[in-house]
Amino acid sequence: MGIATASTDPWLSPAAEVAQALGADLHDGLDATEVRARQARIGTNEITAERPVPGWRRFLDQFRDPVVYLLLAAIAISLVAWLAEGAGGVPVDALVIAAIVMLNAVIGFAQQARAAQAVEALRRMSATTATVVRAGEQVRVPTRDLVPGDLVVLAEGDTVPADARLISAAALTVSEAALTGESEPVLKDPATLPRAAALGDRLNMVFNGTAVARGVGRAVVTATGMRTEMGQVADLLHATREEPTPLQREIARVGRMLGVAVVVIAVVVVVAVVVVIGVDSVTDVVNAMLLAVSLAVAAVPEGLPTILSVVLALGVQRMAAHQAIVKRLSSVETLGAASVICSDKTGTLTRGEMTISRIVTALGEVEVTGAGYEPTGALLQDGRPVAAGEPTRSAAEQVLAAGCLANDARLVEAAGQWTVQGDPTEAAFLVAEAKLGLAAGRQARYRRVGEIPFSSERRLMTSLHADAHRDGAIAVATKGAPDVLLDRCAHVQVGPDLHRVDRAWRERILADVDRLSGQGLRTLAVAHQRLASADLPALEDVETDLVYLGMVGISDPPRSEAVQAVAEAQRAGVRVVMITGDHPRTAARVARDLGIVEAGSRAVSGAELDALDDAAFARTVRQCNAYARVTPRHKLLIVDALQAAGHVVAMTGDGVNDAPALRSADIGVAMGSGTEVTKEAAAMILADDDFATIVRAVREGRGIFQNIRRFLRYLLSSNMGEVLTVLLGVLMAGALGLAPSDGEVVLPLLATQILWINLLTDSAPALAIGVDPVAGDVMDRPPRRRTDRVIDARMWRGVLLLGAVMAVATLAALDLNLPGGLLAGGGTPDEARTAAFTVLVLAQLFNAFTARSETASAFHRPFSNHWLWAAVLLSAALQVAVVHLPVLNHAFSTVPLSGPQWVGCVALASSVLWVGELRKLLLRHGRPGPARA
């Protein structure tokens, strides 16, 4: 049997030929023996799930970071040094660094506890049972048991269990938004298509995971499991791997640079000790190695991974308060770097609620205000309200009344929320009628006594009603495609008069259809007639000699907040691109309404993209901001092309068709009302479905990036100060008065003092800088480029300058308190080292204020960060305790300082602030513009 060929464009072949290729019986279906044989040969109708990553592996993944590797190496070196010293006491350095590494891993693991399970969610979406014909009997079977060739029976409310070719259909409409992005249910037709068509235009096919909105039909299964369109989406998810975020890549680069720097520093120090002092014994070698280890540990910002995780986690909490749920910490910052937001249309930029916005009658056109299903709005003509009793309002009311009679939908209110049951297009009439306050009168007056249901062949629906105001006389209401309905109409309603439908009227009405369609509106025409007798006529005679009332233009309106959000994103230099499976005219209209494209622009279709070569495709993606009738593959290609052009891409969506592109984008953003597949594939979920939340998240991300730069500037310059202090202190030991004692190196700072400085200044102040308030102009700047560094050349120059100032100030304090040297002094070595130790701590605390901005003065909004002041005051108090408490004097080899010595220490330490202010002044003078973080 030709099962293998069944999935080859079955929409281009007659249903009988498709069934023959499948070995299917269109009357009796398959028998049990054949089903078992095919299941053995083809497999079950299930989406193959990826094996979930065990928890222990996800925890170990938290250690896969260059900075963490560096800290692990520091732990190993510290333990070796501790053992070389005789393993006395507790290896404090190693334990502290290990605790920091473990804390960072726990924070990351906790945030990622709900890891992506996109393919499993795909599998859960499938219907659990389906109605099929087996051996001539209609039965319900588990969906997983379906095979190609099965005869499926579809009815309203069913989930389509597999891809299938329609054999018959009666008013069958299928909601395919989750798969194709089409905003309204698609009317299905079993007729063979004349030519190749995009997924959303294959009207004689139904697809796995979509939902029957209305009508009934039969179809022969052409593909199951991974061979379905849903399965192909799963394949794309399998093949699409999450790439490291820009922040992750940059921190990895910084980690590698620090690793090289640590090795170089250690080598330079050992060589310097050997050259300056010489090595005469094993003890000298051990001392030199211990010095190198101390410097290496000082050079590594141990708090960097943890502070980074905490700052990102705090950002996650703030975004959660704005209904944005972030699944990966690094994704918060990525949104701040976004230069392009690719958004689905239906339900994301639009409300996903069909709305009548225009009513056109023979007396003119009126606008219906209000969007969505909430029945709040008004009737306007040329911008002014249309009063009750005006001819144009009466004509519009007639259109809505007839449209509501030929209607099977319901408008429901629950807890203040309005929803619809039934076809969304039919519901649009009910909402518009409720806006004008007409519903109660219609329901009391008319009672349905018959109907001719909608069918794909007729493209019309007619209902018959007994009119209580006319002694039960029959009122006929018909709605449908304008060109079809017009052929059934003999007259046009013009106010109280009837005009014959002549050539002029026909051309005028069809011109109105073209005009509304050109605006991206779906058109439906409405007609009626009143029968003189209360006796029901033959139904085949009802849809003749109708009176044409008018037509409506229906749209899926843009979210009002999305219009403002798009404008704000563009003001911030973020390009908004709309990608949808909807019709090109509809897509272009929505894009224009939202301000995504200019007037006169059009949407590029998926078919047009397929016709482009690589160069033309890349050129189109650089220029086009609206795409229509695209497939999941097109979305992936568009995202990849934007990334190849250097953009950081955020992709939003709510349907299964969006999931692969969400996974591939730098950050995928799912709507809270979307499918589980989309939520699991995304890095962030908008619980309120509000596109404006994305813009708030961009602002939050940019603020977080600013703060990351701030605390990196602080940590690196402070650690640079420690490294240069020890390195220059060893190289200039003689000039400073640090004479060797018994052939051993006399260090400007002890290892315990270096560790204390790291614990004191690399924790609370750095974390406080990480929560600095976001600058007010953060959204007035363009997004940073993908190639921009978190730590650029200018920041490195500042780090080196301030580190050098700290070292000079610290060594000056040392020299001022030692006899001999460059500066005269009379203190003891312990006093000199305590003064130097204190100057370095205070210099780093002054540096905390300098590091808040690269160009803005530290005296600009100095008290806006209360956490920073608290951290600095706490650290200063702890340093005073280390200097003056006897128990801490013994632990850290310090001695109390006098009042004048403290004044001198503060003065020397403040040099960091004044040099930083001078540098910022020069930068502002040289490059005017907004202050940089």
Side-chain angles (χ1 to χ4, degrees), residues 469-739:
H469 290 187
R470 294 177 181 265
D471 298 324
I474 301 300
V476 178
T478 303
K479 72 175 188 295
D483 56 336
V484 176
L485 183 60
L486 203 52
D487 290 337
R488 309 291 183 100
C489 294
H491 296 87
V492 177
Q493 188 85 42
V494 184
D497 302 322
L498 298 182
H499 290 199
R500 293 290 301 179
V501 176
D502 56 16
R503 180 176 179 180
W505 272 112
R506 185 177 182 85
E507 289 178 351
R508 175 180 168 180
I509 292 169
L510 293 179
D512 287 335
V513 172
D514 290 339
R515 180 170 53 80
L516 293 183
S517 297
Q519 296 172 8
L521 300 175
R522 183 188 177 192
T523 56
L524 272 181
V526 180
H528 78 157
Q529 67 170 312
R530 295 189 180 276
L531 304 180
S533 171
D535 296 330
L536 286 177
L539 293 182
E540 61 268 17
D541 297 331
V542 169
E543 293 175 340
T544 59
D545 295 328
L546 297 172
V547 177
Y548 179 85
L549 295 175
M551 77 179 74
V552 297
I554 303 175
S555 66
D556 180 10
R559 293 173 175 267
S560 58
E561 62 271 18
V563 177
Q564 300 172 1
V566 168
E568 186 174 358
Q570 292 171 337
R571 179 171 60 84
V574 181
R575 177 181 165 196
V576 180
V577 177
M578 188 180 76
I579 309 175
T580 179
D582 220 332
H583 193 281
R585 280 193 305 222
T586 303
R589 178 188 60 80
V590 173
R592 288 194 296 268
D593 290 346
L594 288 165
I596 293 174
V597 299
E598 297 178 353
S601 299
R602 66 183 189 88
V604 175
S605 70
E608 290 175 295
L609 292 176
D610 287 334
L612 300 177
D613 58 27
D614 291 344
F617 187 93
R619 188 165 54 252
T620 298
V621 169
R622 285 197 298 270
Q623 300 170 351
C624 178
N625 286 343
Y627 300 89
R629 279 291 189 262
V630 295
T631 66
R633 183 179 65 86
H634 289 133
K635 293 186 179 186
L636 265 179
L637 292 174
I638 292 169
V639 169
D640 291 344
L642 287 168
Q643 290 173 321
H647 290 288
V648 176
V649 181
M651 173 73 193
T652 76
D654 60 352
V656 177
N657 58 322
D658 301 316
L662 262 61
R663 177 74 66 85
S664 180
D666 293 287
I667 177 167
V669 183
M671 299 296 110
S673 62
T675 64
E676 287 301 314
V677 180
T678 316
K679 295 174 189 176
E680 295 293 351
M684 189 173 89
I685 301 169
L686 300 185
D688 58 359
D689 284 12
D690 189 348
F691 185 82
T693 302
I694 300 173
V695 178
R696 287 194 291 268
V698 169
R699 175 184 174 83
E700 185 67 43
R702 289 189 177 188
I704 287 173
F705 179 74
Q706 281 186 341
N707 288 344
I708 289 172
R709 282 176 56 88
R710 288 166 176 157
F711 75 68
L712 279 174
R713 184 186 299 117
Y714 168 73
L715 286 175
L716 294 176
S717 57
S718 296
N719 285 32
M720 184 64 68
E722 297 170 29
V723 170
L724 291 178
T725 295
V726 177
L727 179 60
L728 295 176
V730 170
L731 294 177
M732 301 173 61
L736 295 172
L738 286 174

